Amino acid sequence: MREAVLLFLVVVSGTGGEICVTRAMKRVGEVTDFRPMALVRVILSAMKVPWMWIGISMMALAFFALLAVLSIENVSFVVPVTALNYAAGALGGKFFLGERVTLRRWAGVLIVCVGVTLVWLGKR
Amino acid sequence: MTSSPGLHFKTYCMLLIMVVFAPLGNVLLGKGMKNVGSVVSWSPSKLPHIVSLVLTSGYVWLGIASLLTFFIAYMLILSWADFSYVQPASSIALLVVALLGYFYLGERISALHWAGIVVICLGVFVVGNTPPRTTEKAEHA
């Protein structure tokens, strides 16, 4: 039960964080200039978008939850289960970022979910 | 992507770094956290102790360094290669994690567990092989 809660945090908070960072970076605009000074300016303007901070906090939370779950479960169980990120990413991309998710991508997500179910059932 | 041999070589090097260092990072984190022991109690009074154990674990820092190496290679490769070309590599990384867990950490993996891992890899491969951008038309040729 505890590992399920932690894995949920890893997946949902990790993907949620990435979605917030994506939102912030889309507001900053496409990066076309890769000279060091221009990159520093991009980072500074990204730091002014609140979504960036929400995203970084959520990704940090996901990392600590990953550490916690690794203390109670095997890596060969935890890491494959975190592939659920793709399911969360497809849902989040569709509903929070308005991305179109192709049928093929949904099919992939479904296959990932089947695999995670097998891994969960095959544990120990 | 152009087809110059130099670029291909660079791409394969970066893919190799990604496929080695991401799983290695996770496995080292796992080993470090297993040494820390189960986070049995979540009481706030125990937390500083747990945090200090985590921060003094060499494996955890090695794991973080590996993940940073992966992340830098990932950022670099994304500056010239398509995301949809790079992403299926993470399905191979999942398999590498399982192999490292099995051979290096001695984790027991049942047949059903292996089957699940292979199915997940397949799913990630299918997800990765789809167009990376759908919100607006790509401007570059």
Side-chain angles (χ1 to χ4, degrees):
Chain A
M1 186 57 207
R2 198 180 40 189
E3 70 260 29
V5 173
L6 287 170
L7 283 168
F8 181 82
L9 266 182
V10 172
V11 170
V12 172
S13 193
T15 308
E18 281 177 35
I19 286 169
C20 293
V21 167
T22 305
R23 204 166 235 206
M25 289 310 290
K26 286 276 152 64
R27 192 161 297 177
V28 170
E30 188 175 340
V31 181
T32 47
D33 189 348
F34 289 91
R35 281 172 296 186
M37 278 317 287
L39 285 180
V40 169
R41 269 198 297 280
V42 167
I43 292 168
L44 286 179
S45 58
M47 292 300 166
K48 288 195 196 110
V49 186
W51 283 113
M52 183 56 96
W53 292 104
I54 300 172
I56 290 173
S57 315
M58 289 177 84
M59 284 161 86
L61 178 66
F63 182 72
F64 292 123
L66 177 71
L67 284 184
V69 78
L70 282 176
S71 75
I72 42 181
E73 283 294 345
N74 285 341
V75 207
S76 55
F77 169 72
V78 172
V79 174
V81 169
T82 57
L84 283 177
N85 277 332
Y86 295 100
L91 288 171
K94 183 172 170 60
F95 292 110
F96 291 108
L97 300 173
E99 297 175 353
R100 267 203 322 276
V101 180
T102 60
L103 199 62
R104 184 168 170 165
R105 187 163 282 219
W106 285 123
V109 164
L110 191 69
I111 298 171
V112 168
C113 292
V114 170
V116 170
T117 310
L118 290 178
V119 166
W120 207 292
L121 293 174
K123 188 167 73 128
R124 279 189 274 268
Chain B
M1 271 175 75
T2 63
S3 54
S4 81
L7 190 58
H8 272 295
F9 181 70
K10 204 165 71 167
T11 305
Y12 291 132
C13 283
M14 288 299 155
L15 283 176
L16 188 68
I17 291 173
M18 285 173 57
V19 166
V20 170
F21 280 92
L24 189 67
N26 282 316
V27 166
L28 288 169
L29 283 185
K31 195 168 168 67
M33 290 309 291
K34 277 284 153 54
N35 289 346
V36 167
S38 296
V39 181
V40 185
S41 161
W42 282 96
S43 66
S45 60
K46 280 249 180 88
L47 214 55
H49 177 61
I50 294 167
V51 169
S52 75
L53 278 178
V54 170
L55 292 183
T56 52
S57 161
Y59 283 114
V60 169
W61 286 109
L62 278 176
I64 290 174
S66 289
L67 288 177
L68 275 179
T69 307
F70 153 76
F71 194 70
I72 291 168
Y74 188 49
M75 292 288 113
L76 287 176
I77 200 174
L78 282 180
S79 75
W80 71 78
D82 284 348
F83 181 66
S84 56
Y85 173 80
V86 176
Q87 214 209 7
S90 54
S91 77
I92 299 164
L94 280 174
L95 201 60
V96 176
V97 166
L99 291 172
L100 280 175
Y102 183 76
F103 288 109
Y104 176 58
L105 298 180
E107 296 179 349
R108 285 231 294 278
I109 303 178
S110 68
L112 196 58
H113 192 155
W114 278 118
I117 290 168
V118 170
V119 170
I120 291 171
C121 290
L122 186 72
V124 172
F125 190 80
V126 170
V127 167
N129 240 341
T130 53
R133 188 165 188 170
T134 57
T135 45
E136 55 190 272
K137 270 185 196 146
E139 289 141 66
H140 57 273

